[in-house]
Amino acid sequence: MKYYSLNNKSHKVSFEQAVVEGLAPDRGLYFPENITTLPDSFFTNIENFSNEEIAFEAIKQFVGEEIPENELKHIIKETLCFDFPCVPVEENVFSLELFHGPTMAFKDVGGRFMSRCLGYFNRDKDIRNTVLVATSGDTGGAVASGFLGVKGVEVVILYPSGKVSDIQERQLTTLGQNIKALEVNGVFDDCQDMVKKAFLDESLKHKNLTSANSINIARWLPQMFYIFFAYKQLKKYNKPIVFSCPSGNFGNICAGIMAKRLGLPIAHFVASTNANDTVPRFLEKGSYEPKPSVATISNAMDVGNPSNFIRIQELYHNDLKEFEKDFSSYSYTDTETEAAIKDIYSRTNYIAEPHGAVGYLGLKKEMAKQPDSIGVFLETAHPIKFLDVVEPLLGLKLPIPKQIESVLGKEKIRTKISTYQDLKDFLN
Ligand SMILES: *Cc1c(COP(=O)(O)O)cnc(C)c1O
């Protein structure tokens, strides 16, 4: 499979090169040259396939011959080392829990898949790659955990000072080995800008930089897997399915739309956002006007200029009318999010964290327009990662899961930086 740059369609590279580079030299995101629908029989029989078999069917055309079948199956097996249950919350509403992995956020899937692809491509090489990643919360931990100990790869994580939760910070600053954390005096967009600049910096060429944000195809594409898994669990209801995805960089929802392109029968997607509402405003006004991000309680979605939105536009050939048939986007304030966490708990006993609660709100809004549907909101992180918000709101104490316990007592090790020059000095 070849991938082209969204800035220049004649610039084409292999899967390996797209994974290793992250972003094209012209700063374009890579996009697959072809997308082939899977046979109908696959969807009618999906309940007879294991999760690993489903994932293999979904991803194989995007990898092509570049990773042998048995290796790819092994990578998938290691990626999917946990469950993806669709938990009933209220009538016709399910929470797709994506937080049962090692860092308790959905990004474990992409992080684990990408690290193993890179490990495969480096198997007989002497080069070192540096994975440079900006995080607004969860990416850092998932990438750190996914890449820990991977041969030939050093990981450098930038996070905005004071804008990630204590547990999130511990997950990315306590691992050691090949994982380095930089605490940036700024917001997430400053971190992301520094990372983008570094990729284009000739003086850093020798570091073989690559990204592990959802701009990297090996982080982005495996996020299709659990949309298939959810369908497998909900098919028996025989109703149109609406998915609501709490969205920041729009990688997760864009992977969901890819799953639909492969033929998965999903009726509608909702991108639910916090106050960072660039996409909902775009759908309302028709003009795309990114703004600097503002801090919210769902901090992993504090993104002012979602990097994957351009991939969604590509999927719809920039045809807004077609796009709006499949897609809606709604924005919610922190006050509305907090009220939803309380409301869901008081009515159903289900504990949602802020991102999931934003997803829930968007789902309910869309389902009111599509009353015959069933709905799924993606619960993208475990509530324990946002205990500062959830515990006081619900007046309860959450038990600490074993994945989190293991980082709590450890010392945070990070370097503080303020400018791009500081980043360069650190890398060199
Ligand atoms: C990253 C993240 C999101 C947003 O996902 P995108 O793919 O960037 O839209 C939502 N919730 C949580 C908990 C996250 O970590």
Side-chain angles (χ1 to χ4, degrees):
M1 170 68 79
K2 289 259 183 284
Y3 290 80
Y4 58 82
S5 162
L6 286 176
N7 284 350
N8 171 10
K9 294 193 176 167
S10 59
H11 177 79
K12 289 180 189 166
V13 300
S14 63
F15 176 71
E16 173 170 354
Q17 203 176 335
V19 174
V20 170
E21 282 181 8
L23 202 61
D26 60 13
R27 301 188 100 170
L29 271 69
Y30 282 117
F31 195 86
E33 192 176 25
N34 300 302
I35 302 170
T36 309
T37 310
L38 300 172
D40 284 346
S41 58
F42 174 64
F43 299 105
T44 46
N45 289 314
I46 197 162
E47 55 272 48
N48 300 324
F49 289 84
S50 69
N51 280 0
E52 287 171 26
E53 288 166 339
I54 291 171
F56 179 73
E57 290 305 313
I59 202 84
K60 70 178 180 196
Q61 64 174 294
F62 298 103
V63 177
E65 313 277 278
E66 294 177 51
I67 299 179
E69 196 173 308
N70 59 342
E71 283 291 341
L72 182 58
K73 285 184 172 160
H74 183 67
I75 291 172
I76 288 170
K77 191 181 170 73
E78 290 196 348
T79 301
L80 300 177
C81 61
F82 49 95
D83 290 335
F84 300 84
C86 254
V87 176
V89 171
E90 60 186 52
E91 205 184 346
N92 295 328
V93 173
F94 297 81
S95 166
L96 174 58
E97 293 186 346
L98 302 177
F99 56 67
H100 295 281
T103 74
M104 314 205 87
F106 77 90
K107 293 187 174 85
D108 281 326
V109 175
R112 294 174 73 76
F113 186 83
M114 180 187 161
S115 65
R116 283 156 181 80
C117 289
L118 207 53
Y120 176 78
F121 292 136
N122 280 353
R123 67 200 179 285
D124 314 315
K125 294 186 188 138
D126 233 5
I127 60 163
R128 283 185 77 79
N129 291 106
T130 303
V131 171
L132 192 61
V133 52
T135 184
S136 60
D138 279 337
T139 306
V143 169
S145 153
F147 280 84
L148 183 67
V150 172
K151 188 180 146 268
V153 182
E154 180 168 80
V155 176
V156 179
I157 299 166
L158 286 76
Y159 68 97
S161 182
K163 305 234 163 26
V164 304
S165 76
D166 180 59
I167 287 175
Q168 287 176 333
E169 189 175 24
R170 282 184 198 277
Q171 285 183 319
L172 48 98
T173 57
T174 60
L175 288 172
Q177 296 186 45
N178 56 333
I179 313 295
K180 308 268 162 22
L182 298 178
E183 181 178 349
V184 176
N185 183 10
V187 295
F188 169 69
D189 293 340
D190 299 317
C191 302
Q192 182 137 298
D193 286 346
M194 283 192 201
V195 166
K196 284 185 177 164
K197 210 160 164 182
F199 285 131
L200 301 169
D201 192 331
E202 287 296 321
S203 71
L204 293 172
K205 267 245 137 32
H206 62 290
K207 303 296 292 185
N208 298 313
L209 296 181
T210 189
S211 69
N213 289 93
S214 49
I215 55 176
N216 194 302
I217 54 164
R219 241 290 314 270
W220 168 52
L221 288 171
Q223 301 180 152
M224 293 186 292
F225 295 163
Y226 37 76
I227 308 298
F228 285 85
F229 304 161
Y231 176 74
K232 172 172 130 178
Q233 296 173 66
L234 299 177
K235 189 182 159 212
K236 59 178 183 241
Y237 296 101
N238 210 8
K239 285 186 176 180
I241 305 176
V242 177
F243 268 93
S244 171
C245 185
S247 298
N249 259 322
F250 282 64
N252 212 14
I253 191 155
C254 185
I257 297 171
M258 285 291 281
K260 183 175 165 103
R261 265 317 140 85
L262 293 183
L264 193 71
I266 303 302
H268 201 83
F269 287 97
V270 183
S272 303
T273 75
N274 57 29
N276 295 283
D277 61 349
T278 300
V279 173
R281 274 187 293 113
F282 167 69
L283 288 179
E284 216 165 86
K285 295 190 187 156
S287 68
Y288 189 80
E289 291 164 13
K291 279 205 259 186
S293 63
V294 295
T296 74
I297 56 169
S298 46
N299 64 32
M301 309 199 289
D302 293 349
V303 182
N305 189 7
S307 46
N308 280 284
F309 194 62
I310 188 164
R311 282 188 171 133
I312 299 182
Q313 288 177 303
E314 180 73 7
L315 276 164
Y316 288 91
H317 310 291
N318 290 305
D319 183 338
L320 195 57
K321 287 250 144 42
E322 278 305 303
F323 177 45
E324 285 183 318
K325 287 184 194 159
D326 290 354
F327 185 94
S328 310
S329 189
Y330 309 119
S331 147
Y332 297 94
T333 62
D334 281 354
T335 311
E336 290 168 313
T337 308
E338 287 171 345
I341 293 173
K342 278 179 148 166
D343 168 58
I344 297 167
Y345 184 68
S346 69
R347 284 186 298 108
T348 71
N349 254 352
Y350 190 78
I351 301 174
E353 55 67 61
H355 305 78
V358 168
Y360 173 87
L361 286 168
L363 179 67
K364 293 291 279 196
K365 182 159 180 173
E366 188 62 36
M367 284 178 78
K369 299 181 188 167
Q370 312 206 22
D372 295 331
S373 58
I374 54 173
V376 185
F377 64 97
L378 274 53
E379 199 18 304
T380 44
H382 191 286
I384 196 73
K385 300 186 80 174
F386 298 91
L387 84 175
D388 303 358
V389 178
V390 174
E391 287 185 347
L393 268 179
L394 302 184
L396 47 76
K397 192 108 193 94
L398 299 170
I400 310 251
K402 60 180 185 316
Q403 291 101 313
I404 301 297
E405 201 159 351
S406 66
V407 296
L408 283 184
K410 291 196 192 151
E411 190 195 348
K412 298 179 193 171
I413 297 175
R414 75 286 205 191
T415 304
K416 298 192 184 195
I417 66 165
S418 295
T419 62
Y420 179 65
Q421 188 58 44
D422 294 344
L423 172 63
K424 266 175 84 160
D425 293 345
F426 181 84
L427 291 171
N428 275 317

